[in-house]
């Protein structure tokens, strides 16, 4: 410490440095703003344009937004304060847990499905079509992501069967029989 500082000021500076060190080393440290990679690491998988890996999403969301606030219906739920995708505010994220039969990622967006699908079309070039003729239609993109109504908000998600993502877990009865080699007679 510089000698021209008073002893009280020196102690205060040491304490500040110590607290900053503790904050950076703590596993519970939560960023106050989403990282710059949020759009690519979360946005592309939501559009079904990237691979789905619930373990990665759980780790990523826990690192930047803290632990999930609940576990319900086969998913971990995260509050995502300050998160923006396609120019729209994202208030919650859901990630499949181990009990879920599908790998999925979902987000609650603070806008209507019509506005969300238009914003995604403008910013990412992905179009959504209504796949049913009801008052609250489900909208689906060609890559497979869907936008649905969630009360006065929207929910966008991408889901794939775990068996399609991990062929080693497919039961043997579903695998094709191996052909015999010619010299095995």
């Amino acid at each position: 410490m510089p000698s021209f500082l008073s002893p009280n000021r020196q102690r205060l500076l040491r304490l500040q440095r110590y607290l900053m060190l503790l904050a950076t080393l703590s596993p519970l440290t939560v960023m106050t703003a989403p990282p710059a990679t949020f759009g690519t690491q979360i946005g592309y998988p939501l559009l079904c344009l990237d691979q789905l890996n619930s373990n990665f999403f759980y780790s990523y969301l826990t690192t930047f937004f803290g632990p999930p606030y609940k576990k319900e219906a086969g998913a971990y739920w995260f509050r995502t304060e300050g998160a923006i995708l396609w120019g729209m505010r994202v208030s919650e994220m859901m990630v499949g847990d181990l009990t879920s039969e599908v790998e999925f990622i979902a987000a609650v967006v603070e806008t209507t499905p019509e506005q969300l699908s238009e914003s995604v079309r403008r910013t990412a070039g992905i179009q959504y079509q209504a796949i049913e003729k009801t008052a609250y239609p489900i909208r689906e993109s060609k890559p497979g992501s869907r936008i649905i109504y969630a009360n006065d908000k929207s929910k966008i998600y991408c889901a794939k069967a775990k068996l399609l993502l991990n062929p080693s877990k497919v039961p043997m009865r579903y695998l094709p029989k191996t052909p015999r080699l010619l010299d095995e007679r």
Side-chain angles (χ1 to χ4, degrees), residues 24-95:
T24 58
L25 296 177
S26 170
L28 298 177
T29 300
V30 177
M31 291 187 63
T32 57
T37 58
F38 188 74
T40 54
Q41 298 295 324
I42 300 298
Y44 286 141
L46 278 170
L47 298 174
C48 290
L49 296 176
D50 202 350
Q51 64 184 355
L52 298 182
N53 184 329
S54 294
N55 292 332
F56 169 78
F57 298 133
Y58 180 89
S59 175
Y60 185 89
L61 292 170
T62 300
T63 300
F64 296 110
F65 297 102
Y69 72 92
K70 71 178 175 177
K71 181 180 175 192
E72 181 178 282
Y76 293 105
W77 294 60
F78 295 86
R79 288 194 176 94
T80 53
E81 196 66 35
I84 304 285
L85 286 173
W86 314 292
M88 305 283 177
R89 192 168 83 76
V90 177
S91 58
E92 294 177 296
M93 296 286 310
M94 286 76 64
V95 174

Side-chain angles (χ1 to χ4, degrees), residues 163-179:
L163 293 179
L164 293 176
L165 297 172
N166 191 350
S168 66
K169 293 188 178 182
V170 176
M172 290 300 289
R173 66 179 177 269
Y174 295 119
L175 295 175
K177 298 200 181 345
T178 21

Side-chain angles (χ1 to χ4, degrees), residues 99-115:
T99 65
S100 176
E101 294 181 10
V102 294
E103 287 279 344
F104 74 91
I105 184 167
V108 175
V109 183
E110 301 287 324
T111 189
T112 64
E114 294 85 2
Q115 291 171 332

